[in-house]
Amino acid sequence: MKQIKAEDIVKTVSELCIKSCTTLGDDWWQTLDEAINKEESPLGKDILKQLQENAKLAAATKEALCQDTGVAVVFLELGQDVHITGGNLYEAINAGVRKGYTEGYLRKSVVNDPLIRKNTGDNTPAIIYTDIVPGDKLKITVAPKGAGSENMSALKMLKPADGREGVVQFVLDVVKTAGPNPCPPILVGVGIGGMFEKAALLAKKSLLRPLGQRNELPHIAELELELLEKINNSGIGPQGLGGRITALDVHVESHPTHIATLPVAVNIQCHATRHAEAIL
Amino acid sequence: MIKLTTPLDLDTVKKLKAGDQVRLNGVIYTGRDAAHKRLVEAYEAGEKLPVDLKDQVIYYVGPCPAKPGKVIGAAGPTTSGRMDRYAPLTIAKMGLRGMIGKGLRSQEVIEAIKQHGAVYFLAVGGAGALLSQRIKKAEVVAYEDLGAEAIYRLEVEDFPVVVGIDCHGNDIYQEGIKKYKVG
């Protein structure tokens, strides 16, 4: 049995919080270059260039890309042969978030209660999802999620008879209703199947997939490309000021479901497809 | 490119058209959900307001904390629609002239903009690090306990915005999307 120290988890999570809020992946840079080439609106092109300039500046100065450094959503893949020593796993994650958001000068955006709404002051608690997997490693992914795009997300329980067409229509409706609010160009995460909560989690997890990478299932990959084309025909464009590039990509994940239902969840991510991972 | 210095009077705002690119200079105030709620509650209770908003511009932003030696952290616009409930009153009763944010506004806000000669500016959402460089001074002037949501007095230099909704009610979102929609 492999031993992993809680203090190493604290340190790793702290670093991942800062890294994810200040830098974007190679997939993002490549996708943005392509988007700038494709964008027909001069204002849209200019906005995309400003987003690249912003990302360069953030990486160079370790300043946050966006002031909404979000809620720290943490995905764990915990090997079943791992033993955590010297502390509690979830406490270690929260201690890492507290350290990262404080030392990285990141905004603390968590309130203690949805109705009382007092800021917790250190961006905890994190939202943690754990999968138990074979092996003796712990993979930690930190994906800070801001509210501007999260607020434009939606879920609907379709009927099986609504089928693929119903899914396409719902995704397009959500994107059009969102319009300029989630800071397009966006990444559209879609979860179909499972049950109510499973669809939402699939949509959220799909945001971690690199931009430009298709689902392995051919019929889902095809759905992704059709949605991307239709979304980019909406005319919403960068910042919603009109243009060709409304979405940088569409990621769809699916799961077996009940004979009588077709859940669809759409989780919108702003242009900053922030996440960082480490394996202990 | 239009250069403007705050405070903004009615004549200046009347000349602005949706889509105009503007560089703002001078003092602007920050305010978002929690600060607006307190301002409106204070007004309704007949209390003196902590800032005089007549002819001023409010920037809907909750910045990151400043690093040592820096003026402010990342400071891009937040979604304006969350302030729609408070904006008509701040325009009509407190004399607010301009707002900076991102995203759609309600019909009530557009009506207040038209009726009182106000303007809604857009800044690039997500460009928080870049926009923070145009902020030369920042100090909390009210509701310090709200942290990032406190009201800050900012001094800005050539702060880049686009006129989103002008005082005649023209809305750049409607016009821009129409132009690039396919089918």
Side-chain angles (χ1 to χ4, degrees):
Chain A
M1 179 156 286
K2 180 170 165 181
Q3 310 232 333
I4 295 179
K5 286 188 208 147
E7 63 188 80
D8 291 340
I9 297 172
V10 175
K11 184 166 173 281
T12 302
V13 169
S14 163
E15 287 164 2
L16 292 175
C17 288
I18 296 173
K19 185 180 176 194
S20 58
C21 284
T22 56
T23 57
L24 290 164
D26 293 342
D27 58 325
W28 184 87
W29 288 96
Q30 194 187 332
T31 304
L32 250 278
D33 279 340
E34 289 162 14
I36 290 168
N37 282 333
K38 275 188 226 157
E39 183 52 62
E40 292 163 21
S41 150
L43 181 57
K45 226 185 237 291
D46 185 56
I47 289 166
L48 296 173
K49 285 181 185 165
Q50 284 188 51
L51 293 178
Q52 267 196 337
E53 211 184 313
N54 184 64
K56 269 182 212 159
L57 183 68
T61 60
K62 288 269 170 272
E63 189 69 73
L65 290 150
C66 173
Q67 70 291 337
D68 188 353
T69 47
V71 171
V73 181
V74 180
F75 295 95
L76 301 177
E77 284 178 32
L78 177 64
Q80 64 185 23
D81 297 326
V82 170
H83 179 210
I84 311 285
T85 60
N88 168 314
L89 173 61
Y90 287 4
E91 278 173 14
I93 301 282
N94 280 317
V97 168
R98 187 176 298 123
K99 182 172 154 71
Y101 275 74
T102 306
E103 292 175 5
Y105 293 87
L106 306 174
R107 197 181 81 187
K108 288 76 180 172
S109 308
V110 176
V111 292
N112 67 334
D113 178 286
L115 298 178
I116 296 166
R117 307 198 73 82
K118 185 179 181 327
N119 198 305
T120 62
D122 60 9
N123 223 51
T124 66
I127 293 178
I128 306 170
Y129 297 104
T130 310
D131 287 325
I132 307 292
V133 298
D136 64 355
K137 297 199 171 11
L138 171 63
K139 180 175 169 188
I140 305 173
T141 305
V142 175
K145 191 68 171 76
S149 54
E150 197 73 357
N151 282 343
M152 305 318 293
S153 304
L155 188 146
K156 194 171 181 183
M157 305 303 281
L158 299 182
K159 297 179 185 69
D162 295 327
R164 188 179 189 277
E165 205 179 311
V167 171
V168 170
Q169 195 52 53
F170 179 60
V171 175
L172 292 179
D173 287 348
V174 172
V175 170
K176 281 179 192 166
T177 304
N181 289 8
C183 295
I186 52 178
L187 167 59
V188 183
V190 181
I192 52 177
M195 286 272 136
F196 184 84
E197 83 297 343
K198 182 72 182 177
L201 192 54
L202 287 173
K204 173 128 293 161
K205 276 192 177 176
S206 80
L207 302 175
L208 304 177
R209 198 202 303 165
L211 295 168
Q213 187 178 310
R214 298 272 67 81
N215 189 299
E216 286 174 11
L217 300 171
H219 72 291
I220 300 291
E222 198 189 319
L223 176 64
E224 290 177 339
L225 291 174
E226 181 185 334
L227 283 168
L228 182 59
E229 186 184 341
K230 288 191 165 152
I231 287 168
N232 284 340
N233 281 344
S234 67
I236 294 168
Q239 294 289 310
L241 298 175
R244 225 17 358 109
I245 308 295
T246 302
L248 296 172
D249 207 350
V250 179
H251 293 167
V252 182
E253 294 294 336
S254 63
H255 194 271
T257 187
H258 187 281
I259 48 173
T261 191
L262 174 48
V264 187
V266 182
N267 196 194
I268 309 246
Q269 168 67 52
C270 70
H271 89 277
T273 55
R274 300 178 294 198
H275 52 90
E277 60 183 52
I279 295 172
L280 294 179
Chain B
M1 198 68 66
I2 301 167
K3 256 188 148 168
L4 293 180
T5 302
T6 60
L8 305 178
D9 60 22
L10 181 61
D11 285 344
T12 308
V13 165
K14 272 187 174 166
K15 289 182 200 131
L16 297 173
K17 292 187 299 292
D20 281 349
Q21 304 224 31
V22 174
R23 295 289 178 267
L24 282 177
N25 291 275
V27 170
I28 60 177
Y29 292 94
T30 74
R32 43 180 288 153
D33 313 48
H36 273 80
K37 186 165 184 276
R38 284 202 195 170
L39 276 176
V40 167
E41 282 170 359
Y43 174 81
E44 284 171 347
E47 292 164 17
K48 186 177 183 298
L49 299 178
V51 278
D52 180 4
L53 291 175
K54 184 163 167 43
D55 288 342
Q56 299 295 341
V57 175
I58 282 193
Y59 182 17
Y60 299 145
V61 60
C64 278
K67 289 186 172 183
K70 292 282 172 70
V71 172
I72 199 165
T78 193
T79 311
S80 308
R82 294 197 321 274
M83 271 55 77
D84 281 0
R85 182 187 286 203
Y86 311 109
L89 192 140
T90 51
I91 294 168
K93 303 295 181 189
M94 301 178 200
L96 181 72
R97 187 68 68 192
M99 297 154 282
I100 307 171
K102 56 137 178 143
L104 305 169
R105 305 311 302 263
S106 69
Q107 202 50 46
E108 289 78 12
V109 176
I110 296 174
E111 286 308 317
I113 286 172
K114 281 160 70 175
Q115 198 184 338
H116 299 280
V119 59
Y120 173 44
F121 294 112
L122 308 176
V124 174
L130 202 58
L131 288 167
S132 73
Q133 296 206 318
R134 305 299 178 93
I135 299 169
K136 301 301 171 188
K137 206 173 160 192
E139 57 175 340
V140 175
V141 289
Y143 311 143
E144 191 160 12
D145 61 299
L146 294 178
E149 294 208 65
I151 298 182
Y152 286 72
R153 177 185 184 277
L154 304 180
E155 285 181 31
V156 296
E157 250 176 55
D158 287 336
F159 192 85
V161 292
V162 175
V163 177
I165 302 172
D166 65 31
C167 71
H168 311 290
N170 299 305
D171 183 346
I172 190 184
Y173 287 130
Q174 306 292 336
E175 294 159 25
I177 292 170
K178 240 184 264 166
K179 209 163 146 188
Y180 292 93
K181 192 173 185 304
V182 179

